[in-house]
Amino acid sequence: MNSFLMRQAPLFYLIQKGFRQIFRNSDMLRIIFIVPVIQLLILSYAATTDLKNVRLGVLDEDHTARSRRVSESFFQNNIFVEADPPANALDLEAMLFRGEIDAAVWIPRGFEQDLTSGETAAISITIDGQNSNSAGRSLGYVQGIIRAELLRRFEELRDQQPELADKLHQIQPVTRYFYNPELESRFYMVPAILVMLVTIISVMLTGMAVVREKEIGTLEQLLVTPLSGGQIIAGMTIPYALLVMVEFTIAVVITLFWFGVPLLGSLGLLYLSALVYLLTALGGGLLVSTVSNTQQQSMFTVFFFLIFFIMTSGFFFPVENMPDVIYYLSYLNPMRYLMSIIRGIFLKGATFSDVLPHLLPLILMGMAVFSFAVFRFRKRLA
């Protein structure tokens, strides 16, 4: 035991050297501790899919009590913002064309008369479809408000004409939202931002740190020490692995107490998954360092691949909605697996058996990437 510790003593000194270099560099400290926190706070507020402040123009040409009730019902929430009233249908169309409104509702003349007489009462809905996601959700909210008004009309007919009660059969949907009852987008997005930050910090810092050793010439000095190639790699990666876990802890605390995202699963399983993923991320950073000669090259190489990883990870869009080629390529993306694991642990209370199908590919991928990175690094050392 003592002989083993004696053999590992140079490794401990190398790890100590790594920490000293980090804490002596004020720019590096800002990158490690301040920038990720700012990114988490800004991205969590910016990357939201909540639908708010949709500018809605309503043209009521019927001017009846029922048409006014329909038009007023659109603005009894924080989703729609009332635009200036249009003069006519052409003015309403022009407002949509000029980008002054995001959606338009036109209630034609005879609306109440058609509704009272049992005829089909038509309402025109026009949506700006440039942003397909927002357009679809806006349309859904408008239609929902109109359906609610229709249900109120059915209830009035029942009260006024009880003999029609048997004829007015309705299907009343009962809707429940699991895992995110309030449909808060931050519950879905903030855990994903944790994955992105861990990836950026671990890959970029590891890649830049090793390349920095090359630039200042200390890597060649390490080759003449009693350290083996494996000890040199461990000494360079362990300090950053520990710092990334500290950053991960800070981000988890902000997620829980600042954004109020519930953690329904095990905290230990959350950290285990992050550690497994860290093997892939650090291996990726080490691999980048073997193909880069300067820190600038390392940084651009990381960003080149990072964009593809983020876009195919399910961060913004479900991977199931992607074309088949991209969908199958996403199986090679480690971010995809950790994204599913962390969201499941936070929102669903996922257990070890639940995350195991995602954890196993992450373990295999981490071992493969890190092993290949070590092989490449040792080859360069030789």
Side-chain angles (χ1 to χ4, degrees):
M1 187 66 177
N2 290 335
S3 61
F4 173 79
L5 293 177
M6 290 292 294
R7 289 196 302 271
Q8 301 305 320
L11 172 60
F12 297 143
Y13 288 121
L14 183 59
I15 294 174
Q16 186 180 27
K17 165 189 167 294
F19 277 114
R20 284 180 176 176
Q21 279 187 327
I22 293 170
F23 287 102
R24 284 174 181 169
N25 191 334
S26 59
D27 294 332
M28 183 69 74
L29 287 177
R30 282 193 290 270
I31 292 174
I32 294 175
F33 292 106
I34 299 177
V35 173
V37 174
I38 295 175
Q39 287 178 330
L40 176 61
L41 293 173
I42 294 177
L43 286 175
S44 298
Y45 285 112
T48 175
T49 58
D50 291 340
L51 199 64
K52 294 181 180 179
N53 300 323
V54 177
R55 299 166 299 171
L56 179 65
V58 179
L59 175 61
D60 180 10
E61 292 189 331
D62 196 40
H63 302 294
T64 59
R66 192 168 301 280
S67 65
R68 281 194 297 272
R69 190 165 71 178
V70 172
S71 60
E72 291 171 358
S73 63
F74 291 114
F75 307 106
Q76 295 175 0
N77 50 62
N78 62 347
I79 298 172
F80 296 107
V81 176
E82 186 173 9
D84 294 333
N88 48 49
L90 291 177
D91 188 27
L92 184 67
E93 182 181 1
M95 291 172 66
L96 190 67
F97 179 78
R98 293 194 298 266
E100 297 175 6
I101 57 176
D102 304 305
V105 174
W106 174 31
I107 305 176
R109 292 184 181 90
F111 170 77
E112 184 176 32
Q113 182 179 353
D114 292 340
L115 198 61
T116 305
S117 63
E119 300 292 331
T120 301
I123 294 180
S124 172
I125 305 171
T126 309
I127 306 291
D128 185 344
Q130 294 182 83
N131 186 329
S132 59
N133 182 48
S134 298
R137 297 186 65 190
S138 299
L139 178 61
Y141 279 114
V142 172
Q143 291 175 333
I145 292 171
I146 294 174
R147 281 195 298 268
E149 180 59 31
L150 181 61
L151 288 175
R152 280 196 293 269
R153 175 57 183 159
F154 281 155
E155 294 298 332
E156 290 176 1
L157 286 176
R158 273 186 181 169
D159 296 337
Q160 296 168 4
Q161 305 178 50
E163 67 275 7
L164 296 178
D166 294 334
K167 298 181 181 180
L168 295 175
H169 294 295
Q170 300 177 43
I171 298 175
Q172 179 64 45
V174 178
T175 305
R176 297 177 63 193
Y177 293 100
F178 281 8
Y179 314 126
N180 189 1
E182 302 299 326
L183 298 182
E184 294 281 353
S185 65
R186 71 176 185 274
F187 288 2
Y188 183 75
M189 297 302 296
V190 175
I193 293 173
L194 291 181
V195 179
M196 189 176 70
L197 292 182
V198 168
T199 305
I200 294 174
I201 297 169
S202 55
V203 176
M204 184 175 295
L205 289 184
T206 306
M208 292 179 64
V210 176
V211 174
R212 182 174 178 273
E213 296 284 350
K214 297 179 188 177
E215 289 182 331
I216 62 179
T218 54
L219 189 60
E220 287 75 11
Q221 295 176 9
L222 291 174
L223 298 179
V224 298
T225 64
L227 291 166
S228 64
Q231 287 177 323
I232 293 175
I233 294 170
M236 290 183 174
T237 55
I238 288 176
Y240 293 100
L242 295 176
L243 288 174
V244 168
M245 293 311 296
V246 171
E247 281 292 335
F248 183 72
T249 301
I250 296 172
V252 168
V253 170
I254 294 174
T255 300
L256 294 175
F257 297 103
W258 182 274
F259 293 104
V261 179
L263 178 61
L264 303 180
S266 167
L267 187 63
L269 183 59
L270 184 69
Y271 274 86
L272 174 63
S273 304
L275 284 171
V276 171
Y277 177 76
L278 204 56
L279 186 65
T280 305
L282 293 175
L286 195 61
L287 191 60
V288 166
S289 71
T290 64
V291 297
S292 304
N293 295 318
T294 65
Q295 295 183 67
Q296 289 79 8
Q297 287 181 0
S298 173
M299 184 174 61
F300 282 117
T301 303
V302 169
F303 273 107
F304 176 80
F305 289 101
L306 194 62
I307 295 298
F308 295 101
F309 285 157
I310 292 174
M311 296 302 294
T312 60
S313 66
F315 180 83
F316 293 106
F317 316 106
V319 293
E320 292 79 11
N321 294 352
M322 298 176 184
D324 291 342
V325 175
I326 305 299
Y327 173 76
Y328 290 116
L329 282 176
S330 69
Y331 281 107
L332 300 177
N333 183 359
M335 287 184 69
R336 167 183 175 167
Y337 300 103
L338 187 64
M339 201 81 70
S340 299
I341 291 172
I342 288 191
R343 280 172 171 163
I345 294 173
F346 268 98
L347 302 180
K348 297 182 179 179
T351 62
F352 181 78
S353 59
D354 296 324
V355 304
L356 190 59
H358 300 287
L359 203 57
L360 285 176
L362 208 54
I363 293 173
L364 296 175
M365 200 174 297
M367 294 173 61
V369 171
F370 198 82
S371 299
F372 182 66
V374 169
F375 170 76
R376 287 270 307 174
F377 189 78
R378 283 179 169 174
K379 191 174 180 180
R380 291 203 63 167
L381 289 179

